[in-house]
Structure formats: C-alpha cells, structure tokens
Amino acid sequence: MPPSLKLVIQSAAGKTQSFDLPHGVFTVGQDKGNKIVLQDPTISWKHAVLSVQPNEWAVEDLNSTSGTYLDGKRVRGRHLVQAGQAITLGSYSLKILDSSQAAPPPPQAAAPAPAAAPAATPPAPQAAQPAQEAAAPHKRREAKLSPEMRIRRDIKRQVHKELLDRLDLRRMTAENIGESGLQTRARELVDQIIDDVKGKLPARIDPQRLADEIYNEAVKLGPLEDYLVEDGITEIMVNGHDHIYVERAGRLEMADTTFVDDASVLAIIERIVAPLGRRIDESRPYVDARLPDGSRVNAIIHPLSLVGPCITIRKFAKKPFTVDKLIEMGAMTRGAALFAEVCVKVRKNVIIAGGTGTGKTTFLNVVSNYLPDYERIVTVEDAAELQLPQEHVVRLESRPANIEGSGAITIRDLVRNALRMRPDRIVVGECRGGEALDMLQAMNTGHEGSLTTVHANSPRDVMSRLETMVLMSGMELPVRAIREQIGSAIHIIIHLARMMDGSRRVNKITEVCGMEGDRIILNDIFEFKQEGVTPEGKVKGQLQPTGNVPTFIEEIRARDIPLDPAVFDPMHSEAFAR
C-alpha cells in the first residue's frame, strides 16, 4: 500500500496548513480556477504545476514573475521533487511529506482541494538570493518599529485572523448580505473578540481603540481612516504595511500606526479601486483612482515596489477652497484674484502650471468658480477630482485597459469627443501627452476660455513642455508651426510654487503675447517677491504687480468689466493685497 501523502503550505508569516494530497495534477496560483489557490501578490495567476504520481513527484514553473524554487534553486522546466524538499513560490513554501514525515494536521484543515489564505508578503527564507534581497527593506523597517507598535501589530494580526475565521464570507455572499450588513456583522464580531481577550491585553493598550482599528482595517480603510478625517493632513503615504507618513502643514511626519501586514494593504487598495471598475494585479501593478470625497489615490504593488504595497492619497478639503481662503492663507493677493477672474470672464485660455504638489488642481477648482452658470462646461480628467459648482457640467473620465489589454479610453480620446458635445468651455484636469495638440486646436477654433493644468517649473518651461507634448501626439509638425499654435492659443499662465516652508503660493501670472521671430513672448503681470524668512522658518513675501499691463486691457474695457487699472501698479500693491 503506497504511503499517504500530506501537502504542507507555509506562508512567510509562519502560518502553516496541512492537507491530504491525493495523486493527480495540481495547478498553483492566484486564480480561483487553480487546484491550489495562493492569494498573494507574489504569486502569478497560474504560477506552477505540481504533479503527484504513484512513483514520481514533480514541479514545473509556468513562466511566473517571481519564479519557482526547489531547495533554493530556480526551477526551469520540469523538476522531480523528493519528500521534504522545499518548493518556494513567491512568499510561500510547499512541502510534500509521506506518512513517515507528516505531522497530524489540524482537523479543520483537511480538504481535497487545498487553498491557502492570504498572508504577509515578505519572501520566504528558502527563496533564492534575489528574493532575499527584496526582503531586505522589510528587515530594515522592522528594526525601526517601537516595541509597543510591534506588540500592537501582533495582537491586531491575531484578532484579524480570528475575525476572518468567524466571519463566514462565503455564506454571507450566498445570502446576498450587502455592505451595510457586512459592516454591522464585522463590528459585532470584533467587539465579541475584544471582549474575549480583554483580560489578556497589555495595560497600555485601549481595547476600544484596538477594536476600532481592527474594524476599520477589516471593512474600511484601516489606519488611514483617522488621517482622512483630520483636517490638518493634506497627504497620506503608505510605504509597505509598517510605514505610514502624513503631511501636516507642508511637513512630512511618520505616523504612529501601521497595518497588520501587506495583505491588509492590498485589501485596502482593492476596496478603493473595485467600485471604480479599475484593477491592480501582477499584470498591471499600479493604478490611479479616487475616493468618494474626490481625494486622489495612487497605488503600486509588487513586483514594481520592493518595499511592499504603496498608497499615496492626496486629500481634498471637505470644504472646497475659495478665493477668500487662498488670500487669507497668503497664496495670492486680492489684486491677482481680481485679474484671474477677469481673464476667465473675457474668455482667455488659462494654463495653471507648477511642480508636483503645488496645488494646481485645487487652484483650477477655484478659478473654475468664475465660469458663468449659463455656459455648458465639459471636464476631462484621468480620475475625476474637479468639484465645479455650476449646474450645466458634463464630467468625463478616462478608462484604463481591461485585463486583455484593450478597451482603454485616453484623455486625448475624451478631448476629441468633448469637441462634439457643443461645449462653451473645456476644462482638462491635466495635459501630459498628445492631448495637448487637440487642446491647442480646440482653443484656436472657437473654444476660448478653456482651462487646464501642466507640470512645469516656470512659465517659460510651460512653452517647452507644450512643444514636447504636441510632438508626443505623433504629428510631425515643424517647431515653428507648434510655437505659433501655442502663441495664439494660450493667453495666461498662472504658475504655482511650493516654498521652502511647505506653503503653496502663486509665483507668477504671465501673459503670452504671441510670436516674435522664432520665440514666444511672455509678459509677467504679477510676480512673487520673497523678503526673507521668519525665525520660525516661514517664508516672508507677497505676490506683487510688475507694472506691466496686459495687452488685452482694451478688450476688458470694451466688455464693460470693472477692473481698476491700479491693480497693475506696484505703488498700489498694498491696497490690493487683501
């Protein structure tokens, strides 16, 4: 009689499962159609094949991303396996044991078609050297955690596992229990589990706070929930499960909370992108998305991120910024705000430029408030973030490719489509590629008063960036023709900068005055003048008029739009400061 076989699956977190292993061929991977399902980002959808025959055991890698290893050596093709040899797939280790080696498995673990639960993602110690190098950042970060944070994380991991064991998701799915029902049931179970272990918790750990953290991680956004509701935080950055940073008042700070493991971070990412019809997996390991409140989200996972799943959230204020708020914060002056309002009203094409994190989208929202209610506005964005108050607004959002790599709808496709929707104004969230050509053509063919944002370090750089983006469209246009398009289409550039103290301010407001020879002429109307730094490190200075008057001043008068010419006089700058 042949010996009975056991399959032992061990995750990097140390969780071990044991199953009776009959003879047969077993596919291994993330996809639920596999015989052995290992749901982890280090595992490919179809990772490997395990063949168990009466006289021969073998493993074969299916061109997986992270590879399959047998006792630390990478498997290429089909390799025979001996009893007790470690088969490493991503962060998991599998062993086939005969009756003389196998320990009796837990009664509940036995199953004819084994499936391992999600686990933490650091590569298993049996993996080859490349996997060990990928794990090194985790070890370095582990050393930085305080003892209390480690204790708290370990307790959360145990309670979280117990919650998953008690929360029968398959039954709840079959009974069509909605999201609210799932949240209610999860809250009840978390409270029950905490009550059961309350007497064993360290004295310095608050049971109620621990219950809230575990509940948030199970059905909401985990430790990010508190930071999302805190008004003083503008950005949240997750670098793997054990490092969370936040930005307060323009400064980065390390948070005092962590996720349980990388699998928890992945669950949060899925919770964010799934309602939007987007996905993140091994074939597309990064994604842009948004939260219901409009906050911008970027996520990137293994194998591109070597420190574990990363999330970056750019928060939007609960109350949208207003012009008065920006003036109060010192981001701009009353005179500059009046000029920006006039530019929108006389249908000048405006580009809001600046580096990453300078507040371009926020400022675009503010300037969009000047658009008239009686006009038809079409917005085009990668991830819908704009919050326009007007009623007649059509919002368009791009779409990434599906799992087969087809079906993508780009910003350029949407800009072209917007031209057929009879828009009075087109607002593009950001020009970053070939759509710049279509945007320029729209501005030059009767769609004046359009707004967009561009990444650039100065108004002059905006011209160079637009030239480059037009060339990215694939149209082989002469440089002079491109510059003529830019010079006639763009009227005003509002350039934003992030100062050394973390504050965001309007740095320049510049008029584009057409071509002179082969060069586009720029006319600075307002410019930020720095006057020093306070003892607290705050930048002192103010946006001031340069004395230059815009060339379309007569057009402003002809339209009978009130604007005091003293706005452009440096001698009267204090009168229009606030």
Side-chain angles (χ1 to χ4, degrees), residues 246-299:
V246 297
E247 182 187 68
R248 285 188 180 95
R251 301 287 186 180
L252 292 180
E253 302 174 8
M254 185 173 179
D256 59 356
T257 58
T258 65
F259 284 90
V260 172
D261 50 34
D262 282 351
S264 298
V265 186
L266 284 169
I268 297 299
I269 297 173
E270 291 287 352
R271 211 166 290 151
I272 292 171
V273 304
L276 303 176
R278 304 199 173 196
R279 63 186 178 86
I280 186 167
D281 51 39
E282 189 179 86
S283 63
R284 187 178 178 84
Y286 58 89
V287 68
D288 289 315
R290 69 180 187 278
L291 298 178
D293 66 355
S295 296
R296 183 191 311 170
V297 181
N298 174 269

Side-chain angles (χ1 to χ4, degrees), residues 19-77:
F19 306 94
D20 290 327
L21 186 63
H23 293 151
V25 177
F26 304 91
T27 55
V28 187
Q30 276 202 69
D31 190 85
K32 294 181 180 179
N34 292 296
K35 295 286 187 67
I36 301 175
V37 180
L38 303 176
Q39 294 180 343
D40 190 274
T42 62
I43 304 296
S44 299
W45 290 108
K46 289 190 179 294
H47 195 110
V49 172
L50 192 62
S51 175
V52 181
Q53 305 302 332
N55 300 316
E56 182 181 270
W57 309 336
V59 64
E60 182 177 357
D61 184 76
L62 298 178
N63 295 320
S64 64
T65 301
S66 59
T68 301
Y69 297 84
L70 186 61
D71 279 349
K73 296 181 179 179
R74 186 155 189 167
V75 172
R76 302 191 184 278

Side-chain angles (χ1 to χ4, degrees), residues 10-12 88-93 121-128 131-132 135:
Q10 183 176 20
S11 71
T88 303
L89 293 79
S91 63
Y92 284 88
S93 176
T121 58
Q126 294 89 346
Q132 292 173 353

Side-chain angles (χ1 to χ4, degrees), residues 142-159:
E142 181 76 18
K144 296 180 181 179
L145 294 179
S146 66
E148 183 171 344
M149 289 177 68
R150 292 183 188 179
I151 294 172
R152 192 179 198 85
R153 185 192 61 187
D154 292 342
I155 294 173
K156 285 170 64 177
R157 181 179 287 130
Q158 295 172 23
V159 176

Side-chain angles (χ1 to χ4, degrees), residues 214-254:
I214 295 169
Y215 168 75
N216 286 336
E217 202 156 323
V219 298
K220 293 190 175 182
L221 299 184
L224 307 185
E225 284 288 335
D226 292 339
Y227 304 126
L228 287 169
V229 299
E230 186 177 329
D231 291 336
I233 292 177
T234 54
E235 199 139 9
I236 304 168
M237 291 143 279
V238 179
N239 304 344
H241 72 275
D242 51 4
H243 262 194
I244 300 176
Y245 288 88
V246 297
E247 182 187 68
R248 285 188 180 95
R251 301 287 186 180
L252 292 180
E253 302 174 8
M254 185 173 179

Side-chain angles (χ1 to χ4, degrees), residues 306-563:
L306 301 182
V307 298
C310 294
I311 307 174
T312 307
I313 300 177
R314 177 79 54 79
K315 282 180 58 181
F316 268 22
K318 294 179 183 177
K319 295 181 180 179
F321 279 94
T322 62
V323 172
D324 291 337
K325 182 65 175 176
L326 293 181
I327 295 171
E328 179 188 332
M329 294 166 56
M332 66 188 307
T333 60
R334 176 70 60 187
L338 290 172
F339 179 63
E341 180 179 1
V342 168
C343 290
V344 174
K345 287 183 176 178
V346 297
R347 301 182 66 84
K348 294 302 175 184
N349 296 320
V350 179
I351 286 185
I352 298 165
T356 301
T358 54
K360 297 186 296 298
T361 305
T362 299
F363 200 85
L364 179 59
N365 262 318
V366 172
V367 173
S368 298
N369 287 318
Y370 297 136
L371 296 173
D373 288 327
Y374 56 81
E375 291 187 340
R376 176 175 171 86
I377 304 165
V378 179
T379 69
V380 178
E381 300 175 82
D382 239 349
E385 303 173 73
L386 296 175
Q387 302 167 331
L388 273 62
Q390 294 83 356
E391 289 187 9
H392 198 167
V393 178
V394 180
R395 306 176 70 197
L396 306 180
E397 184 179 50
S398 66
R399 185 180 73 185
N402 59 22
I403 196 167
E404 287 83 21
S406 59
I409 306 295
T410 66
I411 291 287
R412 189 174 187 188
D413 296 329
L414 294 179
V415 170
R416 290 172 178 170
N417 190 78
L419 299 176
R420 304 185 182 99
M421 298 176 68
R422 197 263 176 214
D424 289 309
R425 310 268 188 154
I426 299 175
V427 181
V428 178
E430 182 182 343
C431 277
R432 60 166 71 97
E435 65 272 6
L437 175 61
D438 301 283
M439 188 73 185
L440 291 174
Q441 289 178 327
M443 291 174 172
N444 275 322
T445 54
H447 295 90
E448 298 93 350
S450 297
L451 306 170
T452 188
T453 70
V454 169
H455 273 82
N457 292 328
S458 69
R460 177 59 63 185
D461 282 347
V462 172
M463 303 294 100
S464 302
R465 284 274 294 148
L466 287 173
E467 284 183 33
T468 303
M469 288 189 285
V470 169
L471 293 171
M472 290 169 64
S473 69
M475 301 290 290
E476 296 183 2
L477 298 173
V479 172
R480 181 174 177 82
I482 296 173
R483 290 179 181 173
E484 287 177 348
Q485 284 270 333
I486 295 170
S488 60
I490 307 302
H491 301 129
I492 293 293
I493 299 170
I494 300 176
H495 184 258
L496 311 178
R498 188 185 183 112
M499 301 300 170
M500 59 182 292
D501 60 358
S503 62
R504 300 165 175 87
R505 307 194 186 211
V506 176
N507 190 45
K508 279 187 181 182
I509 299 181
T510 302
E511 181 189 10
V512 181
C513 301
M515 294 278 292
E516 186 176 286
D518 290 332
R519 186 176 176 84
I520 297 174
I521 304 303
L522 301 181
N523 177 32
D524 292 336
I525 309 297
F526 291 88
E527 186 173 6
F528 181 81
K529 300 292 186 182
Q530 184 169 338
E531 300 167 354
V533 180
T534 67
E536 296 78 24
K538 297 291 184 182
V539 171
K540 294 195 303 182
Q542 186 172 280
L543 188 66
Q544 297 180 358
T546 62
N548 297 326
V549 178
T551 58
F552 53 89
I553 189 69
E554 291 302 325
E555 184 180 347
I556 297 173
R557 290 172 181 157
R559 296 200 182 198
D560 199 24
I561 297 175
L563 181 65

